[in-house]
Amino acid sequence: MTDEFDFEGVEQEPLHVFTEKAYLDYSMYVILDRALPHIGDGLKPVQRRIIYAMSELGLSASSKHKKSARTVGDVLGKFHPHGDSACYEAMVLMAQNFSYRYPLIDGQGNFGSPDDPKSFAAMRYTESRLSAFAKVLLQELGQGTVDWVPNFDGTMQEPSLLPARLPHILLNGTTGIAVGMATDLPPHNLREIANACVLLLDKPRTELEELLKQIKGPDYPTEAEIITPQAELRTMYETGHGSIRMRAVYEREDGDIIVTALPHQVSGARVLEQIAQQMTAKKLPMVDDLRDESDHENPTRLVIVPRSNRVDVETMMGHLFATTDLEKTYRVNMNVIGTNGRPQVKNLKQILQEWIAFRVGTVRRRLEWRLDKVDRRLHILEGLLIAFLNLDEVIRIVRYEDEPKTELMKTFKISEIQAEAILETKLRNLAKLEEMRIRQEQAELAEEKQQLEKLLSSERRIKTLIKNEIIEDAEAYGDERRSPITSREAARALDETDLVPSEALTVVLSSKGWARAAKGHEIDVKGLNYKSGDSFQDMALGKSNQSVVFIDSHGRSYALSAHSLPSARGQGEPLTGRFKPAAGAEFISCLMGRNDDLFLLSTSHGYGFVCRFEDMLTRNKNGKALISISKGASLLPAVSISDIDKDLIVSISSEGYIGLLDLKSIPQLSKGKGNKIMGIPPKRLKSAEESVSHTVCLVEGQKLVVHSGKKYKSMNLKELKEYRVERGKRGRKLPRGYQNVTALEVVD
């Protein structure tokens, strides 16, 4: 640092220290004063301030509604100097009966809808007041139960907490995102929580298993099913972490499916949009129509019309549960600010125990406050009684003495408070009956004092009082569980092939690599219309819900869904638009079948292997390396196999050599070159004088027809046995006149 700068008297601090401290301060503010609820009343600061401000405005459940803008203005001006829109949104949330299990605010006007919770009207249009349930939070506020702190400008006092008579933290739940931590507490049923609290008050050492007999699980404002397994629910309550899965409820009505309840905060319009998108993409052929028949009498009534009565409704709904918001998962993270002022993830038992400890402290403060009031009143009544017994002297002192208060204290040996009460007594209260009233009030207060002292002297009596109050509130505000907990199998999305109807299909491949699909198997493939210079190459028979595999001249396989191919009424489409084959590669063969179907793949050099159809499938547009083709060799048409243990292979060379061998001698591979099926002298292969031209499979009872130009020769297995050879041998020549084989045909 140079001498020309003088920082004397200026506080200096390294930048990294300043930024770290500033960020930590901000983090702690967001955690403690914005995003996380307190275990005592289950509220965030903005919610607490809204509830308190409304109580100060006299907006009880029995009062008239007032404009929401009035409430928001009071909250911002007195307690919460933040944005009005955020404050109003927090207020609206507490009024939505589809967001809060037990709403704290009774709203009048447009407070949003389940389809769009944020579609509420502006605060200048809506009116609000506190709900009856809010009394649970406010009833004991003015009874010395909470600490009061200055508001943001120090001109007023606000409660640091509200004296909740029930564990509100679990009843309405909450969500919040702070810095480095978040909270997600699900709502619960009041009666179940009350029963658990009573159990813990009676038996503080109650284990979690016993508590879970009372608390079945979360209870959301919607009637959708909770399908989370019991073991997962137990783990969630044991650790404070987990997830909840909810599933829509549906019923059958005249063949239609009626969805009557949706998961928490799921929009019916959004669900219908998700289903419609699948229908548009032709991924949901079993659905014919959708309707939204929701109204005031039926808040949720979504109608799904199946295409026919043969549709498996259970399977279809399982697919919709897996692919739409008809089933939704909610994260659970029981992170709350404890009574020690620190955020911590707590399990169910810890939350209940800590709230009970908070409630015991609150009730003790309430009783002590009331006892102090009773003592003060008894003290005053004692002074008033002295005055009534010496009324004439009191009147004389008040009438003639310059300082009557001091004289009263001196004459009757009473305190300043008692003297002040005597002087404030009105003349009309000097009747004879007043003495009797004072003595009666003294007796009543003395009895109350005795009861209060008895309660305060016994922790057990305080807990009994709390238990009775919880039972009383549960009877006043409790209701039946809304979200049933059921055991359901996991939803499974249907594969694309499952969604397509199973119809007979013929896939046709042209020599130029164009493909198309025709319905049925009785198709004259050579009589179809081909582009100029193009002709028939290969065909495959299968079902519309199967995949079709194409193999190119480089030995790579490609796959696509057969139903996605264009109709055979046209000329099809080039496969190069679907795949990316290597330069110079041509599509040679096409296959269809089930995953376990077997095919014999072979080359003109006599090598080959047996391959499962599943091993040929790939999603890669560049294809999958399937069969290695030697230089100078070409791929022969794939041959379907019916029984690997019984089928026989017949191979014929271009020079008329024929060999018969058992298929089981050929290896089964997922890819590769394979073993030698027919042995041709290497020199003849190298010079291209001879190669394997045909390979077919035969089973018992079938005949082989060898075509040589216009001539043909039919041979059964008995006749072919003279050509049986070991694998890798060249075989024997066919009879003269049939050695130039132009085609092979297998007939039954």
Side-chain angles (χ1 to χ4, degrees):
M1 188 179 297
T2 61
D3 294 336
E4 59 184 298
F5 296 104
D6 182 11
F7 292 102
E8 185 179 352
V10 177
E11 183 180 350
Q12 297 180 57
E13 192 173 46
L15 181 61
H16 73 91
V17 174
F18 170 77
T19 52
E20 182 180 346
K21 181 177 181 300
Y23 186 69
L24 283 174
D25 288 345
Y26 167 72
S27 302
M28 292 307 296
Y29 165 74
V30 174
I31 291 168
L32 299 177
D33 292 324
R34 186 182 293 182
L36 264 58
H38 194 281
I39 199 168
D41 56 12
L43 298 174
K44 302 176 187 178
V46 64
Q47 297 170 326
R48 189 178 300 119
R49 288 163 178 165
I50 291 169
I51 299 298
Y52 175 64
M54 293 183 76
S55 72
E56 287 295 285
L57 283 169
L59 295 176
S60 66
S62 57
S63 68
K64 288 182 65 176
H65 293 80
K66 280 188 180 177
K67 285 289 185 184
S68 299
R70 171 75 184 277
T71 299
V72 172
D74 261 38
V75 173
L76 300 187
K78 293 179 179 178
F79 310 113
H80 197 71
H82 294 274
D84 60 334
S85 58
C87 179
Y88 180 51
E89 191 170 327
M91 178 180 170
V92 167
L93 188 69
M94 292 189 286
Q96 292 176 336
N97 57 9
F98 50 84
S99 294
Y100 262 45
R101 181 65 177 81
Y102 300 97
L104 297 172
I105 293 174
D106 175 17
Q108 189 167 273
N110 177 11
F111 275 81
S113 67
D115 274 348
D116 188 3
K118 294 194 176 182
S119 63
F120 49 84
M123 58 185 171
R124 61 182 178 274
Y125 299 120
T126 62
E127 297 178 341
S128 54
R129 65 183 179 187
L130 291 169
S131 68
F133 180 76
K135 192 177 178 183
V136 168
L137 300 174
L138 295 165
Q139 186 172 340
E140 300 173 359
L141 186 59
Q143 300 178 22
T145 51
V146 296
D147 295 326
W148 293 77
V149 295
N151 68 340
F152 63 91
D153 61 1
T155 58
M156 303 180 69
Q157 296 281 307
E158 62 175 309
S160 60
L161 290 173
L162 297 182
R165 289 167 58 94
L166 291 168
H168 179 254
I169 186 77
L170 290 171
L171 299 183
N172 275 322
T174 189
T175 61
I177 300 174
V179 178
M181 60 178 64
T183 182
D184 288 280
L185 273 151
H188 291 79
N189 184 271
L190 193 156
R191 289 178 181 171
E192 292 181 6
I193 295 294
N195 290 339
C197 288
V198 169
L199 184 61
L200 268 178
L201 284 165
D202 286 337
K203 301 175 182 177
R205 294 186 178 181
T206 301
E207 295 298 327
L208 181 65
E209 294 290 347
E210 292 298 314
L211 292 176
L212 293 183
K213 290 180 181 178
Q214 304 297 331
I215 302 174
K216 309 298 182 186
D219 188 23
Y220 290 88
T222 174
E223 294 175 359
E225 297 175 336
I226 294 174
I227 61 169
T228 308
Q230 288 293 334
E232 290 184 24
L233 287 175
R234 189 194 183 288
T235 302
M236 178 190 79
Y237 284 127
E238 188 175 27
T239 62
H241 290 287
S243 61
I244 299 294
R245 287 199 302 281
M246 290 195 81
R247 180 178 288 183
V249 174
Y250 70 92
E251 56 189 38
R252 301 293 300 276
E253 185 180 296
D254 298 329
D256 295 342
I257 298 162
I258 313 296
V259 177
T260 57
L262 293 169
H264 183 47
Q265 293 180 330
V266 166
S267 161
R270 173 63 181 154
V271 168
L272 291 179
E273 182 184 340
Q274 289 172 332
I275 299 174
Q277 285 175 351
Q278 294 190 46
M279 293 172 66
T280 304
K282 297 183 178 179
K283 293 182 177 179
L284 204 58
M286 65 274 288
V287 175
D288 186 55
D289 192 20
L290 296 172
R291 292 195 303 274
D292 187 352
E293 297 182 354
S294 305
D295 53 28
H296 289 292
E297 292 184 6
N298 303 288
T300 301
R301 184 179 168 85
L302 308 182
V303 182
I304 303 172
V305 182
R307 188 167 294 278
S308 72
N309 56 11
R310 295 190 301 275
V311 171
D312 187 338
V313 172
E314 295 292 330
T315 303
M316 184 187 77
M317 290 305 294
H319 172 75
L320 292 178
F321 288 141
T323 57
T324 70
D325 286 344
L326 286 173
E327 182 175 314
K328 198 168 182 183
T329 300
Y330 304 88
R331 187 183 65 171
V332 175
N333 180 22
M334 299 183 182
N335 190 8
V336 298
I337 299 172
T339 51
N340 60 0
R342 296 181 178 180
Q344 184 185 351
V345 176
K346 302 178 187 291
N347 62 32
L348 177 66
K349 186 177 179 181
Q350 286 174 324
I351 290 176
L352 290 174
Q353 285 178 326
E354 197 162 329
W355 181 83
I356 287 172
F358 165 81
R359 182 61 185 157
V360 169
T362 302
V363 170
R364 184 174 289 279
R365 290 180 66 168
R366 185 187 82 197
L367 296 174
E368 289 172 347
W369 176 84
R370 180 57 187 165
L371 181 60
D372 184 56
K373 295 275 285 186
V374 168
D375 282 338
R376 285 173 64 86
R377 183 61 182 166
L378 284 171
H379 182 62
I380 290 171
L381 289 175
E382 187 180 344
L384 290 175
L385 191 58
I386 291 173
F388 274 94
L389 293 175
N390 302 277
L391 191 56
D392 292 338
E393 181 64 15
V394 170
I395 293 172
R396 187 195 68 76
I397 291 172
V398 172
R399 189 173 182 180
Y400 295 108
E401 294 294 334
D402 293 333
E403 293 184 359
K405 188 193 326 185
T406 306
E407 190 62 30
L408 284 171
M409 293 169 64
K410 182 180 177 182
T411 303
F412 299 111
K413 294 182 174 55
I414 59 178
S415 68
E416 184 178 352
I417 295 173
Q418 290 172 320
E420 193 70 44
I422 291 169
L423 292 172
E424 289 178 356
T425 304
K426 296 179 181 179
L427 285 173
R428 65 183 178 189
N429 291 337
L430 300 179
K432 284 184 180 180
L433 292 175
E434 192 65 21
E435 180 184 344
M436 294 175 59
R437 189 190 65 77
I438 290 172
R439 292 189 182 277
Q440 183 181 355
E441 187 178 350
Q442 272 185 322
E444 291 172 355
L445 290 176
E447 185 179 352
E448 184 180 353
K449 179 181 179 179
Q450 185 180 2
Q451 291 296 326
L452 289 170
E453 288 174 340
K454 189 184 293 185
L455 280 170
L456 286 166
S457 66
S458 169
E459 187 86 7
R460 182 71 259 171
R461 285 194 176 96
I462 290 179
K463 287 188 175 182
T464 301
L465 174 63
I466 292 171
K467 182 175 74 172
N468 293 335
E469 289 175 350
I470 288 174
I471 293 171
E472 181 185 336
D473 288 337
E475 290 176 356
Y477 305 110
D479 56 6
E480 295 297 324
R481 166 174 281 278
R482 292 186 193 172
S483 303
I485 299 176
T486 55
S487 177
R488 301 284 187 192
E489 291 184 6
R492 185 183 72 87
L494 295 174
D495 295 334
E496 188 176 359
T497 54
D498 295 330
L499 294 168
V500 176
S502 178
E503 298 173 341
L505 206 68
T506 300
V507 175
V508 181
L509 174 67
S510 76
S511 58
K512 297 289 186 181
W514 285 59
R516 48 188 151 168
K519 289 185 178 180
H521 287 168
E522 305 298 326
I523 307 296
D524 179 13
V525 292
K526 293 184 180 179
L528 294 174
N529 183 26
Y530 292 90
K531 294 179 73 69
S532 177
D534 202 359
S535 60
F536 170 75
Q537 172 68 29
D538 197 10
M539 61 177 281
L541 304 179
K543 300 285 187 179
S544 55
N545 59 352
Q546 292 178 330
S547 296
V548 56
V549 169
F550 298 93
I551 305 175
D552 69 11
S553 56
H554 289 185
R556 299 185 71 84
S557 66
Y558 308 81
L560 53 75
S561 298
H563 72 89
S564 67
L565 288 171
S567 169
R569 293 191 184 95
Q571 295 174 336
E573 66 176 78
L575 291 177
T576 50
R578 301 278 191 110
F579 310 127
K580 296 178 181 178
E586 296 179 355
F587 290 98
I588 303 297
S589 185
C590 64
L591 310 171
M592 290 182 72
R594 296 183 298 271
N595 285 345
D596 291 332
D597 285 352
L598 298 175
F599 292 87
L600 175 65
L601 303 178
S602 59
T603 67
S604 60
H605 279 188
Y607 288 88
F609 61 92
V610 175
C611 184
R612 294 172 70 241
F613 184 76
E614 186 177 32
D615 293 329
M616 305 181 200
L617 299 175
T618 177
R619 292 185 178 181
N620 192 341
K621 288 189 175 183
N622 294 319
K624 172 187 176 183
L626 182 63
I627 180 168
S628 300
I629 302 177
S630 306
K631 185 178 179 181
S634 59
L635 181 70
L636 296 178
V639 179
S640 176
I641 296 170
S642 57
D643 190 336
I644 195 169
D645 293 320
K646 295 181 180 179
D647 282 13
L648 299 169
I649 302 175
V650 176
S651 295
I652 296 179
S653 77
S654 56
E655 293 297 312
Y657 284 89
I658 180 172
L660 178 73
L661 64 149
D662 293 328
L663 179 64
K664 58 186 176 183
S665 65
I666 307 300
Q668 183 173 330
L669 305 173
S670 59
K671 63 178 181 177
K673 184 177 181 180
N675 287 2
K676 199 150 196 174
I677 301 174
M678 187 175 198
I680 296 175
K683 288 183 180 181
R684 297 188 68 82
L685 281 175
K686 194 171 184 181
S687 61
E689 292 179 4
E690 187 177 1
S691 61
V692 178
S693 57
H694 301 86
T695 300
V696 295
C697 280
L698 288 174
V699 295
E700 191 72 38
Q702 290 182 327
K703 292 182 179 181
L704 180 70
V705 181
V706 179
H707 292 266
S708 180
K710 293 183 179 180
K711 296 188 299 181
Y712 66 89
K713 180 178 177 62
S714 178
M715 293 181 285
N716 57 31
L717 279 179
K718 187 175 181 181
E719 295 171 303
L720 283 169
K721 281 183 180 178
E722 63 180 283
Y723 298 106
R724 181 181 282 276
V725 294
E726 295 180 5
R727 183 184 59 77
K729 299 297 182 182
R730 192 178 185 189
R732 295 172 56 192
K733 272 204 168 191
L734 284 163
R736 284 183 180 276
Y738 297 99
Q739 293 174 0
N740 183 23
V741 179
T742 55
L744 278 186
E745 186 181 0
V746 177
V747 296
D748 293 327

